[in-house]
Amino acid sequence: MPRLRTLVDVPAAAEVVRVGEEDRRDSRTEGAWKAVLRLYRAGLHPAIALHVRHRGLVLLDRTVGHLHHAPGAKPGPVATPESLFSLFSGSKIVTAALVHALVDDGLLALDRAVADVLPSFGQHGKHNIHLRHLLNHTAGIPDMPPGLDAMAILRSGKMPLDAIYALRPQTAPGERVAYHPVTTWFVVQELLETVSGKPLRRLLRERLLDPLGFGAFGYGVAPDRVPDVALHAVTGPPAPPFMARIFERSIGAPLDVAVRVSNEPAFLTAVLPSANVTGRPRDTSRFMAMLLGGGALDGVRVMSETAVRNMVTPSTPRQFDATFGFPMRYGLGVMMGGRRFSLY
């Protein structure tokens, strides 16, 4: 039986709960918070943050646990609602929203060939890959190019695009669903920066975040905010061998190594379009509320309703995801849920 990695000396939850600004209490959300505390007491999560909004009101804004706590280590500072948390692959939602905003602006088109903007991408039959295929994980290039130092890429936020351009598609565009965790998102970044003439971090802030009054939210953090970021720990049972192989093939490194690198200042301050959007729980909640509002928040519209609808409408065939090995559905930039055989 594999050894379960847990956090030692998990304190009484009441000692490490912090509450932000909540507009009102609700019995249903209090029940949800009790479930969070039970999860925390299992000893598998250094910290948990939950921010719940409903019709513009904040019903929960709370954290429990520590910013830094790894198995066998002494816990660090207590996390608060002002602490910063990485979204990891949830970052793809933010990058996809930025893509759709530029489609609104007429700078990009979902059914335009990527090679029309980035000619070198069209090598080896990739000239038929459209922006749509990059967003819904059917481009046919899910794995990291061989021979690259994946950890150097995570630390620097720089991917040698020539290595992606040289990839040969495993399938025809639009034919096969296979989760693309990294490769296509660096191509998306290059598209966004090329058509806008702006670096990705600045583009996100000017196009979506500043109009909505966002604070500490975006790709990575400023160096002086690194101590405010919740660090990550590997807990629970070891990943099954088949899942470990999938992770290493698509990310380019074992899970434990990737988690260790994700705690380094270099990763936390880099720009990684699919992996390191970071912010306070309330900021993440507000961004999702903007999408739920059809592209508008607090009376300010930053995306059209059509753009949001395109983003969250399933657009892939019903089939097994070739990366995960089980059925997945994707919109144009987001994973979709389902009543059966779904992560959500």
Side-chain angles (χ1 to χ4, degrees), residues 17-34 36-37 48-54 56-64 80-82 281-282 285:
V17 169
R18 298 294 184 268
V19 181
E21 296 182 6
E22 299 176 350
D23 294 320
R24 74 178 188 204
R25 299 291 175 90
D26 185 288
S27 60
R28 292 166 296 180
T29 50
E30 290 297 331
W33 182 246
K34 289 179 181 178
V36 167
L37 297 182
I48 304 173
L50 184 60
H51 186 99
V52 177
R53 300 169 65 88
H54 180 63
L57 295 178
V58 177
L59 304 186
L60 276 178
D61 185 26
R62 303 179 195 178
T63 56
V64 58
T80 78
E82 296 300 314
R282 73 167 66 92
S285 178

Short mmCIF file of all heavy atoms in Angstrom, two decimals, residues 17-34 36-37 48-54 56-64 80-82 281-282 285:
data_model
loop_
_atom_site.label_atom_id
_atom_site.label_comp_id
_atom_site.label_asym_id
_atom_site.label_seq_id
_atom_site.Cartn_x
_atom_site.Cartn_y
_atom_site.Cartn_z
N VAL A 17 -8.28 30.14 10.61
CA VAL A 17 -9.32 30.68 9.72
C VAL A 17 -9.21 32.20 9.71
O VAL A 17 -9.04 32.83 10.77
CB VAL A 17 -10.73 30.26 10.18
CG1 VAL A 17 -11.80 31.03 9.42
CG2 VAL A 17 -10.93 28.77 9.98
N ARG A 18 -9.29 32.78 8.52
CA ARG A 18 -9.31 34.23 8.40
C ARG A 18 -10.49 34.61 7.51
O ARG A 18 -10.75 33.96 6.49
CB ARG A 18 -8.01 34.76 7.79
CG ARG A 18 -6.76 34.44 8.64
CD ARG A 18 -6.80 35.19 9.97
NE ARG A 18 -5.60 34.98 10.75
CZ ARG A 18 -5.44 34.01 11.66
NH1 ARG A 18 -6.46 33.18 11.91
NH2 ARG A 18 -4.32 33.88 12.33
N VAL A 19 -11.20 35.66 7.87
CA VAL A 19 -12.42 36.08 7.18
C VAL A 19 -12.21 37.47 6.60
O VAL A 19 -11.73 38.38 7.28
CB VAL A 19 -13.63 36.10 8.14
CG1 VAL A 19 -14.90 36.52 7.41
CG2 VAL A 19 -13.81 34.72 8.78
N GLY A 20 -12.58 37.62 5.31
CA GLY A 20 -12.49 38.91 4.66
C GLY A 20 -13.78 39.69 4.79
O GLY A 20 -14.53 39.53 5.76
N GLU A 21 -14.07 40.51 3.79
CA GLU A 21 -15.28 41.34 3.83
C GLU A 21 -16.44 40.58 3.19
O GLU A 21 -16.45 40.32 1.99
CB GLU A 21 -15.02 42.65 3.08
CG GLU A 21 -13.95 43.51 3.72
CD GLU A 21 -13.75 44.82 2.97
OE1 GLU A 21 -14.52 45.10 2.03
OE2 GLU A 21 -12.81 45.56 3.33
N GLU A 22 -17.42 40.21 4.02
CA GLU A 22 -18.60 39.47 3.55
C GLU A 22 -19.83 40.35 3.72
O GLU A 22 -20.02 41.00 4.75
CB GLU A 22 -18.76 38.17 4.33
CG GLU A 22 -17.56 37.23 4.17
CD GLU A 22 -17.67 35.97 5.01
OE1 GLU A 22 -18.57 35.89 5.88
OE2 GLU A 22 -16.86 35.06 4.81
N ASP A 23 -20.69 40.36 2.69
CA ASP A 23 -21.87 41.21 2.74
C ASP A 23 -22.97 40.66 3.62
O ASP A 23 -23.73 41.42 4.23
CB ASP A 23 -22.41 41.42 1.31
CG ASP A 23 -21.43 42.21 0.45
OD1 ASP A 23 -20.83 43.17 0.98
OD2 ASP A 23 -21.25 41.87 -0.73
N ARG A 24 -23.08 39.34 3.66
CA ARG A 24 -24.11 38.76 4.53
C ARG A 24 -23.81 37.28 4.72
O ARG A 24 -23.09 36.66 3.95
CB ARG A 24 -25.51 38.93 3.94
CG ARG A 24 -25.81 38.04 2.75
CD ARG A 24 -27.22 38.24 2.25
NE ARG A 24 -27.58 37.26 1.23
CZ ARG A 24 -28.50 37.43 0.32
NH1 ARG A 24 -29.18 38.56 0.28
NH2 ARG A 24 -28.77 36.49 -0.57
N ARG A 25 -24.35 36.70 5.78
CA ARG A 25 -24.19 35.27 6.06
C ARG A 25 -25.41 34.54 5.50
O ARG A 25 -26.53 35.08 5.47
CB ARG A 25 -24.07 35.02 7.56
CG ARG A 25 -22.85 35.70 8.18
CD ARG A 25 -21.56 35.05 7.72
NE ARG A 25 -20.38 35.75 8.20
CZ ARG A 25 -19.77 35.47 9.34
NH1 ARG A 25 -20.26 34.52 10.14
NH2 ARG A 25 -18.69 36.13 9.70
N ASP A 26 -25.21 33.32 5.08
CA ASP A 26 -26.28 32.51 4.51
C ASP A 26 -26.09 31.08 5.00
O ASP A 26 -24.97 30.55 4.97
CB ASP A 26 -26.22 32.57 2.98
CG ASP A 26 -27.38 31.84 2.31
OD1 ASP A 26 -27.38 30.60 2.35
OD2 ASP A 26 -28.26 32.51 1.75
N SER A 27 -27.15 30.44 5.46
CA SER A 27 -27.02 29.09 6.04
C SER A 27 -26.46 28.10 5.03
O SER A 27 -25.72 27.18 5.39
CB SER A 27 -28.39 28.62 6.55
OG SER A 27 -29.33 28.56 5.50
N ARG A 28 -26.79 28.29 3.76
CA ARG A 28 -26.29 27.33 2.75
C ARG A 28 -24.79 27.47 2.57
O ARG A 28 -24.07 26.48 2.45
CB ARG A 28 -27.02 27.55 1.42
CG ARG A 28 -28.50 27.18 1.46
CD ARG A 28 -29.22 27.72 0.25
NE ARG A 28 -29.22 29.18 0.26
CZ ARG A 28 -29.78 29.92 -0.69
NH1 ARG A 28 -30.38 29.34 -1.72
NH2 ARG A 28 -29.75 31.24 -0.63
N THR A 29 -24.30 28.70 2.55
CA THR A 29 -22.86 28.87 2.39
C THR A 29 -22.12 28.50 3.66
O THR A 29 -20.97 28.04 3.61
CB THR A 29 -22.52 30.31 1.98
OG1 THR A 29 -23.17 31.23 2.88
CG2 THR A 29 -22.98 30.59 0.57
N GLU A 30 -22.75 28.67 4.81
CA GLU A 30 -22.12 28.21 6.05
C GLU A 30 -21.93 26.70 6.02
O GLU A 30 -20.92 26.17 6.49
CB GLU A 30 -22.95 28.63 7.27
CG GLU A 30 -22.94 30.12 7.55
CD GLU A 30 -21.56 30.65 7.90
OE1 GLU A 30 -20.75 29.88 8.45
OE2 GLU A 30 -21.30 31.83 7.63
N GLY A 31 -22.90 25.99 5.45
CA GLY A 31 -22.76 24.54 5.31
C GLY A 31 -21.59 24.19 4.39
O GLY A 31 -20.85 23.24 4.66
N ALA A 32 -21.43 24.96 3.33
CA ALA A 32 -20.30 24.73 2.42
C ALA A 32 -18.98 24.97 3.14
O ALA A 32 -18.01 24.22 2.96
CB ALA A 32 -20.42 25.63 1.20
N TRP A 33 -18.93 26.00 3.98
CA TRP A 33 -17.69 26.28 4.70
C TRP A 33 -17.35 25.18 5.69
O TRP A 33 -16.18 24.82 5.87
CB TRP A 33 -17.78 27.63 5.41
CG TRP A 33 -16.51 27.99 6.12
CD1 TRP A 33 -16.32 28.13 7.45
CD2 TRP A 33 -15.23 28.23 5.50
NE1 TRP A 33 -15.02 28.44 7.73
CE2 TRP A 33 -14.33 28.51 6.54
CE3 TRP A 33 -14.80 28.24 4.19
CZ2 TRP A 33 -12.99 28.79 6.31
CZ3 TRP A 33 -13.45 28.52 3.94
CH2 TRP A 33 -12.57 28.79 5.00
N LYS A 34 -18.36 24.60 6.32
CA LYS A 34 -18.09 23.48 7.23
C LYS A 34 -17.47 22.31 6.47
O LYS A 34 -16.60 21.61 7.00
CB LYS A 34 -19.39 23.05 7.91
CG LYS A 34 -19.90 24.05 8.94
CD LYS A 34 -21.22 23.58 9.57
CE LYS A 34 -21.72 24.60 10.59
NZ LYS A 34 -23.02 24.18 11.18
N VAL A 36 -15.55 22.64 3.87
CA VAL A 36 -14.16 23.05 3.62
C VAL A 36 -13.30 22.73 4.85
O VAL A 36 -12.18 22.22 4.73
CB VAL A 36 -14.09 24.54 3.28
CG1 VAL A 36 -12.65 25.05 3.34
CG2 VAL A 36 -14.69 24.81 1.91
N LEU A 37 -13.82 23.00 6.04
CA LEU A 37 -13.06 22.74 7.25
C LEU A 37 -12.82 21.25 7.44
O LEU A 37 -11.73 20.83 7.88
CB LEU A 37 -13.78 23.32 8.46
CG LEU A 37 -13.95 24.85 8.47
CD1 LEU A 37 -14.66 25.29 9.75
CD2 LEU A 37 -12.61 25.56 8.32
N ILE A 48 -6.72 26.42 2.09
CA ILE A 48 -7.88 26.41 1.19
C ILE A 48 -8.52 27.79 1.27
O ILE A 48 -8.71 28.34 2.36
CB ILE A 48 -8.92 25.34 1.58
CG1 ILE A 48 -8.28 23.96 1.64
CG2 ILE A 48 -10.09 25.34 0.59
CD1 ILE A 48 -9.20 22.89 2.19
N ALA A 49 -8.84 28.35 0.11
CA ALA A 49 -9.52 29.64 0.05
C ALA A 49 -10.85 29.45 -0.66
O ALA A 49 -10.94 28.70 -1.64
CB ALA A 49 -8.68 30.66 -0.70
N LEU A 50 -11.88 30.10 -0.16
CA LEU A 50 -13.20 30.02 -0.80
C LEU A 50 -13.83 31.41 -0.81
O LEU A 50 -13.96 32.05 0.23
CB LEU A 50 -14.10 29.04 -0.04
CG LEU A 50 -15.48 28.78 -0.65
CD1 LEU A 50 -15.36 28.19 -2.05
CD2 LEU A 50 -16.30 27.85 0.24
N HIS A 51 -14.19 31.85 -2.01
CA HIS A 51 -14.87 33.14 -2.18
C HIS A 51 -16.14 32.88 -2.99
O HIS A 51 -16.06 32.41 -4.13
CB HIS A 51 -13.96 34.13 -2.91
CG HIS A 51 -14.54 35.51 -3.00
ND1 HIS A 51 -14.17 36.53 -2.14
CD2 HIS A 51 -15.46 36.04 -3.83
CE1 HIS A 51 -14.84 37.62 -2.45
NE2 HIS A 51 -15.63 37.34 -3.48
N VAL A 52 -17.28 33.16 -2.41
CA VAL A 52 -18.56 32.89 -3.05
C VAL A 52 -19.31 34.20 -3.25
O VAL A 52 -19.51 34.96 -2.30
CB VAL A 52 -19.42 31.93 -2.19
CG1 VAL A 52 -20.79 31.71 -2.84
CG2 VAL A 52 -18.70 30.60 -2.01
N ARG A 53 -19.71 34.47 -4.49
CA ARG A 53 -20.50 35.64 -4.84
C ARG A 53 -21.84 35.18 -5.40
O ARG A 53 -21.93 34.19 -6.10
CB ARG A 53 -19.78 36.47 -5.90
CG ARG A 53 -18.43 36.98 -5.51
CD ARG A 53 -17.68 37.55 -6.70
NE ARG A 53 -18.35 38.73 -7.23
CZ ARG A 53 -18.14 39.96 -6.79
NH1 ARG A 53 -17.26 40.17 -5.83
NH2 ARG A 53 -18.76 40.99 -7.32
N HIS A 54 -22.89 35.95 -5.10
CA HIS A 54 -24.21 35.65 -5.65
C HIS A 54 -24.93 36.97 -5.91
O HIS A 54 -25.18 37.75 -4.98
CB HIS A 54 -25.02 34.78 -4.68
CG HIS A 54 -26.39 34.43 -5.19
ND1 HIS A 54 -26.60 33.68 -6.32
CD2 HIS A 54 -27.62 34.73 -4.71
CE1 HIS A 54 -27.89 33.52 -6.52
NE2 HIS A 54 -28.53 34.16 -5.55
N GLY A 56 -23.92 39.70 -7.11
CA GLY A 56 -23.18 40.88 -6.69
C GLY A 56 -22.83 40.95 -5.22
O GLY A 56 -22.06 41.82 -4.82
N LEU A 57 -23.38 40.06 -4.41
CA LEU A 57 -23.09 40.06 -2.98
C LEU A 57 -22.05 38.99 -2.65
O LEU A 57 -22.07 37.90 -3.22
CB LEU A 57 -24.36 39.78 -2.17
CG LEU A 57 -25.47 40.83 -2.26
CD1 LEU A 57 -26.68 40.38 -1.45
CD2 LEU A 57 -24.97 42.19 -1.76
N VAL A 58 -21.15 39.31 -1.73
CA VAL A 58 -20.14 38.36 -1.27
C VAL A 58 -20.70 37.59 -0.08
O VAL A 58 -20.96 38.18 0.98
CB VAL A 58 -18.83 39.07 -0.89
CG1 VAL A 58 -17.83 38.06 -0.34
CG2 VAL A 58 -18.26 39.80 -2.09
N LEU A 59 -20.91 36.29 -0.25
CA LEU A 59 -21.46 35.47 0.82
C LEU A 59 -20.37 34.76 1.62
O LEU A 59 -20.58 34.43 2.79
CB LEU A 59 -22.42 34.43 0.24
CG LEU A 59 -23.57 34.98 -0.60
CD1 LEU A 59 -24.52 33.86 -0.99
CD2 LEU A 59 -24.33 36.08 0.14
N LEU A 60 -19.23 34.51 1.00
CA LEU A 60 -18.10 33.90 1.70
C LEU A 60 -16.81 34.51 1.16
O LEU A 60 -16.63 34.64 -0.05
CB LEU A 60 -18.05 32.38 1.48
CG LEU A 60 -18.90 31.47 2.36
CD1 LEU A 60 -18.72 30.02 1.92
CD2 LEU A 60 -18.55 31.62 3.83
N ASP A 61 -15.89 34.85 2.05
CA ASP A 61 -14.55 35.29 1.68
C ASP A 61 -13.62 34.85 2.80
O ASP A 61 -13.31 35.63 3.71
CB ASP A 61 -14.51 36.81 1.48
CG ASP A 61 -13.16 37.28 0.96
OD1 ASP A 61 -12.47 36.48 0.32
OD2 ASP A 61 -12.81 38.45 1.21
N ARG A 62 -13.18 33.58 2.74
CA ARG A 62 -12.46 33.01 3.88
C ARG A 62 -11.31 32.13 3.41
O ARG A 62 -11.31 31.59 2.31
CB ARG A 62 -13.41 32.17 4.74
CG ARG A 62 -14.61 32.94 5.25
CD ARG A 62 -15.54 32.09 6.07
NE ARG A 62 -16.83 32.76 6.23
CZ ARG A 62 -17.86 32.24 6.87
NH1 ARG A 62 -17.77 31.04 7.42
NH2 ARG A 62 -19.00 32.92 6.97
N THR A 63 -10.34 31.99 4.28
CA THR A 63 -9.24 31.07 4.07
C THR A 63 -9.02 30.27 5.35
O THR A 63 -9.40 30.69 6.45
CB THR A 63 -7.94 31.81 3.73
OG1 THR A 63 -7.66 32.76 4.77
CG2 THR A 63 -8.04 32.53 2.40
N VAL A 64 -8.38 29.11 5.18
CA VAL A 64 -7.97 28.31 6.32
C VAL A 64 -6.63 27.68 5.96
O VAL A 64 -6.43 27.22 4.84
CB VAL A 64 -9.02 27.22 6.67
CG1 VAL A 64 -9.30 26.30 5.49
CG2 VAL A 64 -8.60 26.41 7.89
N THR A 80 -4.53 34.39 4.32
CA THR A 80 -5.66 35.30 4.52
C THR A 80 -6.34 35.54 3.18
O THR A 80 -5.80 35.19 2.12
CB THR A 80 -5.19 36.66 5.09
OG1 THR A 80 -4.63 37.44 4.02
CG2 THR A 80 -4.16 36.48 6.19
N PRO A 81 -7.53 36.16 3.19
CA PRO A 81 -8.17 36.50 1.91
C PRO A 81 -7.36 37.46 1.04
O PRO A 81 -7.68 37.65 -0.13
CB PRO A 81 -9.50 37.13 2.35
CG PRO A 81 -9.80 36.46 3.65
CD PRO A 81 -8.46 36.35 4.32
N GLU A 82 -6.31 38.09 1.60
CA GLU A 82 -5.42 38.95 0.81
C GLU A 82 -4.26 38.17 0.20
O GLU A 82 -3.48 38.72 -0.59
CB GLU A 82 -4.87 40.08 1.68
CG GLU A 82 -5.92 41.05 2.19
CD GLU A 82 -6.68 41.73 1.06
OE1 GLU A 82 -6.03 42.20 0.10
OE2 GLU A 82 -7.92 41.79 1.14
N PRO A 281 -8.34 35.38 -3.95
CA PRO A 281 -9.58 34.65 -4.24
C PRO A 281 -10.69 35.55 -4.76
O PRO A 281 -11.42 35.17 -5.68
CB PRO A 281 -9.94 34.03 -2.87
CG PRO A 281 -8.62 33.88 -2.19
CD PRO A 281 -7.80 35.05 -2.61
N ARG A 282 -10.82 36.78 -4.23
CA ARG A 282 -11.91 37.66 -4.67
C ARG A 282 -11.71 38.08 -6.12
O ARG A 282 -12.68 38.29 -6.85
CB ARG A 282 -12.03 38.87 -3.75
CG ARG A 282 -10.96 39.91 -3.86
CD ARG A 282 -11.37 41.19 -3.12
NE ARG A 282 -11.47 40.94 -1.70
CZ ARG A 282 -10.48 41.13 -0.83
NH1 ARG A 282 -9.31 41.57 -1.26
NH2 ARG A 282 -10.64 40.91 0.45
N SER A 285 -12.75 35.23 -8.35
CA SER A 285 -14.21 35.16 -8.34
C SER A 285 -14.81 36.25 -9.21
O SER A 285 -15.77 36.02 -9.97
CB SER A 285 -14.72 35.28 -6.89
OG SER A 285 -16.12 35.26 -6.85
#
